[in-house]
Amino acid sequence: MTISVFLLDDHEIVRRGIAQLLETEPDIEIVGEAGTAAGALARIPALRPDVAILDVRLPDGEGVSVCREVRSAVSPPPACLMLTSYSDDQALFGAIMAGAAGYLLKQVAGVDLVGAVRTVAAGGSLLDPKATALVLDRLRHGREPAASDPRYESLSPQERRILELIADGLTNRQIGAELFLAEKTVKNYVSSLLHKLNFARRTEAAVYAERRRRS
């Protein structure tokens, strides 16, 4: 049987590289791709791929949110393989809660990515058992990340990451370089999180984030 795969990544060169890698395999076929969360949500239900490879960070949303939505909207749902540039506990937590079948760093070797696609297509999981156990323990004891402050809960995972980097003293340009986002995009995120936290200045947000770290 041929495994149908959908690719979601905001970098065209990354999509092309993954597509070229996977399409050399006789049992894997790329049936569609998108560079935005909106594009993926519009196309995946119609294409019904076996596997969806989703970038965690996108210019208009989160790959984890795409995973959650397509898995609830498509039957049978695709196996979602999350792909990210660096390890992030919050994103891993979100991926597990969204029902993702795997979570890989983009530094993964080509042969391992091919193996991962076959594994999740067959119903397997590539989530670290220890990480999954930690998430389940947090849920069991009501210690999921940022559960104590409604304002913080209203922030998206991306806004929470940016808040942490603000607390580290990074400028919008430096945050953009760290998260592979345009400086203008970062500025929009900062404005949004300040509004949600009811702060007028980023220094207030930095102090708030630092207090959370110490609590």
Side-chain angles (χ1 to χ4, degrees), residues 38-168:
L41 291 172
R43 303 197 65 197
I44 290 177
L47 295 171
R48 296 178 179 273
D50 299 314
V51 177
I53 299 178
L54 310 174
D55 189 7
V56 170
R57 286 179 296 280
L58 298 162
D60 64 335
E62 301 284 333
V64 168
S65 298
V66 174
C67 174
R68 183 184 302 106
E69 291 192 39
V70 298
R71 285 188 58 79
S72 64
V74 180
S75 182
C80 294
L81 192 56
M82 310 307 300
L83 209 56
T84 184
S85 298
Y86 65 94
S87 182
D88 183 322
D89 288 343
Q90 182 67 41
L92 175 59
F93 178 89
I96 293 172
M97 295 304 297
Y103 187 91
L104 298 175
L105 295 178
K106 287 185 177 179
Q107 294 90 329
V108 64
V111 64
D112 292 331
L113 179 58
V114 171
V117 169
R118 290 179 177 140
T119 295
V120 300
S125 173
L126 291 172
L127 292 169
D128 179 27
K130 290 183 179 179
T132 303
L134 178 61
V135 167
L136 293 176
D137 180 65
R138 284 174 173 171
L139 286 175
R140 215 173 281 123
H141 295 89
R143 291 185 284 110
E144 60 269 31
S148 59
D149 188 339
R151 294 180 302 166
Y152 189 89
E153 288 181 338
S154 71
L155 301 180
S156 69
Q158 186 76 298
E159 288 169 341
R160 294 175 188 177
R161 282 192 289 270
I162 291 175
L163 178 61
E164 290 299 314
L165 295 176
I166 289 175
D168 290 336

